[in-house]
């Protein structure tokens, strides 16, 4: 596994592609984020990548993310100033300066936003995040396992209007942030879960920026050898978290239902094998893919990752881009061990999404 | 006109009664606020009242108010800690200590909330406010005439959760505060329009705490002489702002329509003369009474004050307490001169409420 030391403009495409894979169908399209990151690095220089284990225990760590409905983020975007401002507002609130920027989620657009923050603020970015994938709600991060409060949380919009929320409950932080973001057009920049180095070392999912980059590179280099899917799977097997991986299904989309409800994209997708000789396959999602079933039997379930990719190019395809007739492969992979503990499952296991099935690790499913 | 120097527990009832009159049908029932103020003064001692003209130009002035739907405030209330906390959060944000507490509106419950804040924080309260009455929206204050921004604005709830909003637009501050308050159950404590002494001297409506007290006392002492309505009118004629006053109608409620829409209580009330020998009288309201008409002719219009009182006891009756068959007198009075300028009318004149009639001072209406 290659560890990246610095993010240059030419790295962004592969990080974004890997993060689209880790977005597990959600997380928001990284395109706009990538353009912002490209501009920020061009203007302010490459971003230094720092390993979590190199942090001082008392280092001040500030996160950076977009918050809202992924489909809106794609259209509304952010300016860049607003991304950095979310960090600055929280620094002011806490009366201390950030030592490094921590991605909250390495899936989708939120792989790019912290790069923008780091570049603009001249800070290193940490090679880590709070889940090693994407999740739809603010409190669905490993930091919650450690009882680390989501707030004070800062939020900013493209007019550089700012908001600060403080509450003892991470669920309520999600709820308040949601209504304020909705009033801001369903998309805003945030900084939340301010932490010290010790907390980040204990609870972050480490190495995920390098992993996103590795996934993106594996797909890209696989294309040159006309074996992107195989190359992707080979790479995943070398990683510390995603090594239990398999092609869950290979087929075409025969039904897709999406509803935007309470700011989430909720729905399901039905797939049929290309030659029609297998039972239908179904994926349910709330922004991200939550559970994949075949013949009513669970094939993979949250927090393990379910990802849809183009069956030829291995390009990750988010749920909002799925369409009738599309030929895709569904990949299932294991989540990081910290994501599979009982404490973690209480926060973002199947029940947190109203799914009655118990979590079963993908390697234990035939 | 008597100027009060200090607020003791025994003063609260008359201030609250006067503020209910100045609430012009809205402003929220002062009862819960009065109980909180009583408790705060009992625990922390009487509140010193300060005149605006005694302020240093660079004094730091923080306002205090409840924000939300008046009918909810009556049921949900506030704890007291949350009222003081709104000021403290804004002090922290601005990194300075308050020298005095300024009421935002002297109508209804918001006459009492700043007394609670002042008592708990050991600060003087200013004998002034931002309108000398009540209004439904955050930016409808004389401070807006001076271009003084509504934010940074702090908001707190009974769980001591806190919010800080910053925007350049007072209308947007209203809009953001409204959704956050709504998520807090449609009632929250705020501190907004932080100002220096010079700004308060220039734009506040002065002496309104003493005026509320004077109105309450006039009604109370009038009752001992069995002439509360006459006594109230006599007192109003001695005041600097409310001196143009008259009984607009004397009759009974024959129709009352109220709808809670977007957190406001919107509706109208129809009145008939006791002996039935006059054309019907109609009052329209959005929390507060906005316009009174008879025979489709305007008798009084916002920002002048329209108030409903019991025709025997002169007890002010808010719009939410009006009921069929109730016998009331409708009093119209002039607003403070600063409230009647063109700049003021742009903010809270008839058009701001979607009323097509032009503002005509009550003294110019036959």
């Amino acid at each position: 596994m290659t560890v990246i030391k610095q993010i240059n403009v030419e790295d962004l495409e592969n990080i974004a592609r890997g993060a689209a894979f880790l977005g597990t169908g959600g997380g928001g399209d990284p395109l706009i984020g990538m353009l912002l990151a490209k501009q920020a690095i061009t203007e302010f220089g490459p971003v230094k990548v720092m390993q979590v284990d190199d942090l001082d225990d008392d280092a001040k760590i500030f996160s950076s993310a977009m918050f809202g409905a992924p489909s809106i983020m794609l259209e509304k975007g952010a300016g860049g100033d607003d991304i950095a401002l979310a960090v600055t507002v929280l620094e002011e609130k806490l009366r201390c300066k950030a030592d490094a920027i921590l991605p909250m989620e390495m899936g989708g657009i939120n792989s790019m936003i912290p790069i923008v923050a780091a570049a603009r603020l001249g800070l290193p970015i940490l090679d880590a995040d709070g889940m090693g994938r994407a999740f739809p709600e603010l409190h669905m991060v490993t930091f919650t396992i450690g009882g680390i409060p989501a707030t004070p949380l800062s939020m900013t919009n493209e007019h550089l209007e700012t908001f600060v929320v403080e509450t003892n409950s991470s669920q309520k932080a999600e709820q308040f942030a949601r209504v304020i973001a909705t009033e801001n057009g369903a998309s805003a920049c945030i900084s939340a879960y301010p932490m010290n180095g010790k907390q980040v070392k204990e609870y972050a999912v480490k190495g995920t920026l390098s992993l996103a980059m590795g996934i993106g590179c594996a797909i890209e280099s696989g294309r040159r050898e006309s074996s992107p899917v195989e190359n992707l799977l080979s790479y995943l097997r070398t990683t510390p978290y995603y090594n239990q991986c398999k092609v869950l299904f290979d087929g075409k989309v025969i039904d897709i239902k999406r509803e935007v409800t309470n700011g989430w994209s909720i729905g399901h997708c039905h797939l049929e094998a290309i030659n029609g000789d297998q039972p239908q396959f179904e994926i349910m999602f709330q922004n991200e893919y939550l559970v994949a079933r075949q013949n009513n039997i669970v094939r993979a379930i949250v927090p393990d990752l379910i990802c849809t990719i183009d069956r030829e190019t291995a390009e990750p395809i988010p749920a909002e881009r799925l369409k009738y007739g599309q030929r895709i492969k569904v990949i299932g992979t294991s989540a990081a061990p910290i994501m599979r503990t009982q404490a973690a499952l209480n926060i973002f296991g199947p029940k947190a999404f109203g799914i009655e099935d118990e979590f079963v690790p993908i390697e234990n499913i035939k």
Side-chain angles (χ1 to χ4, degrees), chain A residues 59-224:
Chain A
K60 307 296 184 196
I61 309 304
F62 286 69
S63 72
S64 169
M66 291 280 283
F67 183 91
S71 50
I72 306 283
M73 285 177 202
L74 184 58
E75 293 179 6
K76 184 167 168 263
D81 284 343
D82 42 358
I83 295 171
L85 182 63
V87 176
T88 313
V89 166
L90 204 55
E91 283 180 330
E92 275 174 21
K93 165 73 188 170
L94 294 168
R95 301 185 193 194
C96 65
K97 284 285 176 191
D99 293 312
I101 296 296
L102 174 65
M104 281 188 67
E105 65 176 355
M106 196 47 71
I109 190 170
N110 276 335
S111 61
M112 294 289 126
I113 299 300
I115 299 174
V116 178
R120 286 181 164 260
L121 296 166
L123 290 170
I125 189 169
L126 286 169
D127 188 358
D129 77 327
M131 59 190 84
R133 48 167 293 160
F135 268 136
E137 299 190 36
L138 181 70
H139 59 282
M140 294 177 167
V141 285
T142 46
F143 319 129
T144 305
I145 301 171
I148 296 161
T151 70
L153 169 152
S154 61
M155 185 177 284
T156 61
N157 65 18
E158 68 278 19
H159 306 295
L160 306 184
E161 294 169 312
T162 72
F163 308 86
V164 175
V165 176
E166 267 195 293
T167 159
N168 289 324
S169 151
S170 296
Q171 263 96 338
K172 288 185 77 181
E174 153 67 32
Q175 181 185 329
F176 288 126
R178 192 68 55 183
V179 295
I180 304 172
T182 302
E183 191 65 22
N184 278 303
S187 172
C189 306
I190 64 167
S191 183
Y193 293 96
M195 281 178 274
N196 61 36
K198 187 164 182 292
Q199 291 170 312
V200 174
K201 279 188 257 188
E202 193 161 2
Y203 294 107
V205 182
K206 299 172 191 174
T208 49
L209 186 59
S210 291
L211 286 168
M213 173 91 164
I215 291 168
C217 289
I219 295 171
E220 196 205 26
S221 64
R223 282 181 198 165
R224 289 196 295 268

Side-chain angles (χ1 to χ4, degrees), chain A residues 246-258:
Chain A
K246 52 189 158 190
V247 176
L248 296 171
F249 200 77
D250 180 3
K252 62 186 176 199
V253 177
I254 57 164
D255 187 30
I256 171 82
K257 191 182 166 207
R258 264 182 301 254

Side-chain angles (χ1 to χ4, degrees), chain A residues 329-365:
Chain A
K329 282 184 173 158
V330 184
I331 311 282
T333 92
S334 46
I338 191 176
M339 302 284 292
R340 292 166 142 201
T341 61
Q342 191 53 52
L345 294 176
N346 293 342
I347 302 162
F348 41 65
K351 286 207 177 36
F353 297 96
I355 298 170
E356 289 191 3
D357 304 278
E358 295 289 331
F359 171 70
V360 184
I362 192 163
E363 60 272 26
N364 298 350
I365 301 177

Side-chain angles (χ1 to χ4, degrees), chain A residues 292-314:
Chain A
R293 293 190 182 92
Q294 193 169 18
N295 244 355
N296 289 320
I297 294 162
V298 170
R299 295 289 311 279
I301 190 163
V302 70
D304 279 352
L305 286 70
I306 300 163
C307 312
T308 48
I309 59 172
D310 182 280
R311 77 185 292 270
E312 307 296 337
T313 66

